[in-house]
């Protein structure tokens, strides 16, 4: 009988995309749902970037670009690393892909052998887990909670390292918690990693620009482990370019070469027009897009102020990304009309059914007491959403 592969059979669908689909379907059926489930800025891509894409069409960038990206783009990315992060990379160490999601898949497929362990800091972004398993790796989770501000410490990391550990992955600023590692915290993690030269760290910095407290810190700044670090970044979040599909890595040369080899058989590289637009996007000062961060700062305040007035919701106040990740375990065991809330998935579905707001269960991110709320929506929408969540939760007793 015809059947899909075991590999896909065993794979969980992306919870973020599934929840977004579910709310889209409800909206299409005429249900007034507020979707706070997708991590997607609601701004238009900046005009100067749109103009660069139009120019690229006029200039007839219609052919296959080089697999790892146009040299001009890779040079612009190196320039960005120097300008914004004081990091030196050669263009040959950069691989441009169809989104950071693809960059991550390239890395896992290029580095993991079956049975290799990948340490994943939890809460983690949904796709890490499934991509690691797809490559035959074993995700080894280090759990955190709101008490530690969802941050893994150096001793916790060291404890999970085994001879099979191949990779360590985290995002900072973090999706879903919004937490950001300080320079000191990264240094203590780096001091652990340096003792294990066969381990590579994947530092997912896609929320670099959405940082409310100041300058971005990358673990690659510590020269003594730079050869063990892959930076993943992209333009989806900071430049509001989710649909354009472009991400990139900066990596040791042998890893960049492997990712290019893999990509050459899988996608042939990122869209030519997008690449030309991104040369312009990241070529300019980040001041050009700081208005988005300022808007997110205000929105975070609205959400946190609102949530803090709801009984039993313990909300973090994260310095980065555009999510809050409240602990909602207070509601476990409570019921409404014979339906008991046993976990975060039950609660997120309850909020959808009774509050018509879609959020994502923490279980998708590897923690079981939380929900993720994306505040990449207008002020009015957020005020209404928080009101609805409050009303829905007040039904539970
Ligand atoms: N990493 C993290 C932490 C994310 O939240 C996302 C979500 N978009 C990605 C990677 C992938 O981004 P994209 O493929 O849109 O570049
Ligand atoms: N990264 C975003 C999120 O976490 C977009 C959805 C996705 O790519 O999975 O919601």
């Amino acid at each position: 009988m015809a059947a899909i592969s075991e590999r896909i059979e065993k794979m969980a669908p992306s919870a973020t995309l599934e929840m977004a689909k579910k709310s889209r379907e409800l909206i299409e059926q005429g249900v007034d749902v507020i979707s706070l489930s997708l991590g997607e800025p609601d701004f238009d891509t900046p005009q100067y970037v749109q103009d660069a894409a139009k120019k690229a069409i006029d200039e007839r960038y219609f052919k296959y670009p080089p697999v790892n990206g146009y040299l001009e783009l890779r040079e612009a990315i190196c320039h960005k690393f120097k300008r914004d992060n004081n990091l030196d990379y050669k263009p040959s160490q950069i691989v441009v892909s169809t989104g950071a999601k693809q960059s991550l898949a390239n890395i896992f497929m290029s580095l993991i052998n079956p049975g290799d362990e990948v340490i994943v800091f939890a809460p983690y972004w949904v796709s890490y887990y499934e991509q690691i398993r797809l490559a035959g790796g074993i995700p080894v989770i280090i759990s955190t909670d709101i008490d530690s501000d969802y941050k893994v410490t150096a001793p916790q990391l060291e404890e999970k390292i085994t001879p099979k550990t191949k990779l360590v992955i985290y995002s900072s600023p973090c999706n879903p918690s919004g937490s950001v590692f300080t320079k000191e915290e990264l240094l203590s993690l780096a001091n652990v990693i340096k003792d294990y030269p066969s381990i590579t760290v994947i530092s997912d910095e896609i929320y670099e620009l959405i940082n409310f407290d100041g300058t971005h810190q990358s673990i690659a700044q510590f020269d003594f482990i730079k050869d063990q670090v892959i930076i993943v970044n992209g333009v989806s979040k900071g430049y509001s370019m989710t649909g354009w599909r472009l991400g990139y890595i900066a990596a040791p040369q042998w890893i960049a070469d492997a990712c290019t080899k893999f990509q050459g058989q899988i996608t042939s590289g990122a869209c030519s027009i997008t690449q030309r637009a991104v040369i312009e996007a990241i070529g300019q000062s980040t001041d050009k897009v700081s208005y988005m961060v300022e808007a997110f700062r205000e929105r975070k305040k609205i959400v946190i102020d609102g949530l803090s007035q709801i009984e039993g919701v313990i909300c973090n106040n994260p310095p980065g990304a555009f999510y809050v990740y409240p602990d909602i375990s207070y509601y476990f065991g409570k019921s409404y009309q014979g339906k008991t809330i046993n976990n975060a998935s039950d609660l997120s579905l309850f909020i959808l059914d009774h509050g018509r707001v879609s959020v994502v269960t923490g279980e998708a991110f590897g923690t079981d007491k939380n929900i993720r709320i994306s505040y990449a929506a207008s002020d009015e929408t957020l005020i209404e959403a928080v009101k609805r969540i409050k009303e829905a939760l007040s039904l539970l007793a």
Side-chain angles (χ1 to χ4, degrees):
M1 200 180 76
I4 60 169
S5 67
E6 282 173 26
R7 168 185 321 121
I8 298 303
E9 178 77 42
K10 284 193 206 137
M11 184 192 222
S14 161
T16 47
L17 299 183
E18 282 289 295
M19 205 60 181
K21 180 167 156 242
K22 199 168 178 151
S23 41
R24 235 188 334 258
E25 284 166 1
L26 285 170
I27 292 165
E28 275 161 19
Q29 288 162 25
V31 184
D32 159 34
V33 172
I34 298 179
S35 179
L36 302 184
S37 48
L38 196 59
E40 173 160 69
D42 55 328
F43 299 99
D44 274 346
T45 300
Q47 189 61 47
Y48 75 99
V49 183
Q50 296 182 36
D51 293 343
K54 289 177 189 156
K55 184 158 167 265
I57 292 178
D58 292 342
E59 290 176 353
R60 309 171 68 80
Y61 279 95
F62 300 150
K63 304 289 190 212
Y64 284 125
V67 171
N68 56 349
Y70 288 120
L71 178 60
E72 250 176 292
L73 174 55
R74 287 180 290 115
E75 282 170 348
I77 292 169
C78 291
H79 178 248
K80 166 248 163 327
F81 275 119
K82 189 68 192 168
R83 179 192 67 201
D84 301 342
N85 315 105
N86 196 26
L87 292 174
D88 290 298
Y89 285 104
K90 296 198 289 273
S92 63
Q93 294 179 271
I94 309 296
V95 182
V96 174
S97 302
T98 53
K101 195 179 258 183
Q102 176 74 47
S103 300
L104 288 160
N106 289 351
I107 296 167
F108 294 135
M109 294 304 282
S110 301
L111 296 186
I112 294 175
N113 282 316
D116 284 345
E117 293 178 359
V118 180
I119 295 180
V120 184
F121 294 5
Y124 50 77
W125 181 49
V126 280
S127 297
Y128 298 162
Y129 193 89
E130 292 302 329
Q131 289 195 359
I132 292 164
R133 289 191 342 132
L134 194 60
I138 301 168
V140 175
I141 308 300
I142 307 184
S143 297
T144 61
D145 59 22
I146 198 163
D147 296 334
S148 58
D149 200 14
Y150 303 108
K151 289 199 248 183
V152 166
T153 61
Q156 283 177 307
L157 170 62
E158 183 128 44
E159 201 188 306
K160 291 283 185 185
I161 292 176
T162 75
K164 287 188 171 171
T165 308
K166 183 82 186 251
L167 296 165
V168 174
I169 183 165
Y170 62 80
S171 57
S172 179
C174 174
N175 177 4
S177 70
S179 296
V180 176
F181 280 122
T182 63
K183 184 172 178 181
E184 292 68 35
E185 287 162 346
L186 290 172
L187 177 59
S188 62
L189 296 173
N191 276 324
V192 174
I193 302 287
K194 77 167 189 319
D195 292 336
Y196 303 89
S198 61
I199 295 181
T200 301
V201 181
I202 306 171
S203 172
D204 183 341
E205 304 181 13
I206 192 151
Y207 293 93
E208 168 179 11
L209 295 185
I210 323 234
N211 181 334
F212 309 113
D213 277 3
T215 47
H216 177 71
Q217 301 289 345
S218 172
I219 197 164
Q221 71 187 282
F222 306 114
D223 280 339
F224 59 92
I225 60 151
K226 189 158 172 244
D227 284 349
Q228 289 175 258
V229 176
I230 308 171
I231 296 179
V232 175
N233 207 329
V235 290
S236 284
K237 314 293 172 174
Y239 296 87
S240 201
M241 294 182 72
T242 45
W244 298 67
R245 311 306 305 129
L246 191 136
Y248 57 86
I249 61 165
Q253 193 62 55
W254 63 278
I255 295 177
D257 292 345
C259 289
T260 303
K261 181 176 175 188
F262 178 72
Q263 184 159 288
Q265 293 287 21
I266 300 292
T267 64
S268 302
C271 165
S272 57
I273 306 299
T274 297
Q275 290 197 41
R276 303 312 299 183
V278 173
I279 294 172
E280 195 61 27
I282 64 175
Q284 306 261 346
S285 158
T286 55
D287 290 350
K288 283 206 131 165
V289 285
S290 59
Y291 63 93
M292 296 193 229
V293 185
E294 291 318 309
F296 288 134
R297 190 194 297 276
E298 287 308 308
R299 294 163 177 195
K300 180 178 76 160
K301 193 169 174 324
I302 292 173
V303 173
I304 292 180
D305 287 352
L307 291 176
S308 66
Q309 284 165 35
I310 305 179
E311 188 184 0
V313 175
I314 309 167
C315 195
N316 60 335
N317 184 355
F322 37 64
Y323 309 103
V324 287
Y325 202 59
D327 180 320
I328 42 69
S329 55
Y330 169 84
Y331 289 95
F332 296 174
K334 297 194 186 294
S335 313
Y336 177 65
Q337 292 183 339
K339 164 88 188 123
T340 303
I341 302 299
N342 290 314
N343 49 46
S345 297
D346 287 349
L347 195 77
S348 56
L349 290 174
F350 185 84
I351 291 173
L352 182 60
D353 289 343
H354 296 275
R356 287 164 293 116
V357 178
S358 76
V359 299
V360 185
T361 171
E363 286 164 72
F365 305 101
T367 69
D368 51 13
K369 291 181 176 172
N370 310 86
I371 54 170
R372 187 191 78 174
I373 300 175
S374 164
Y375 57 82
S378 72
D379 295 9
E380 305 74 52
T381 306
L382 294 170
I383 291 167
E384 173 63 18
V386 172
K387 185 169 145 263
R388 290 186 187 188
I389 293 173
K390 186 174 182 176
E391 281 164 10
L393 293 180
S394 72
L395 299 172
L396 290 164

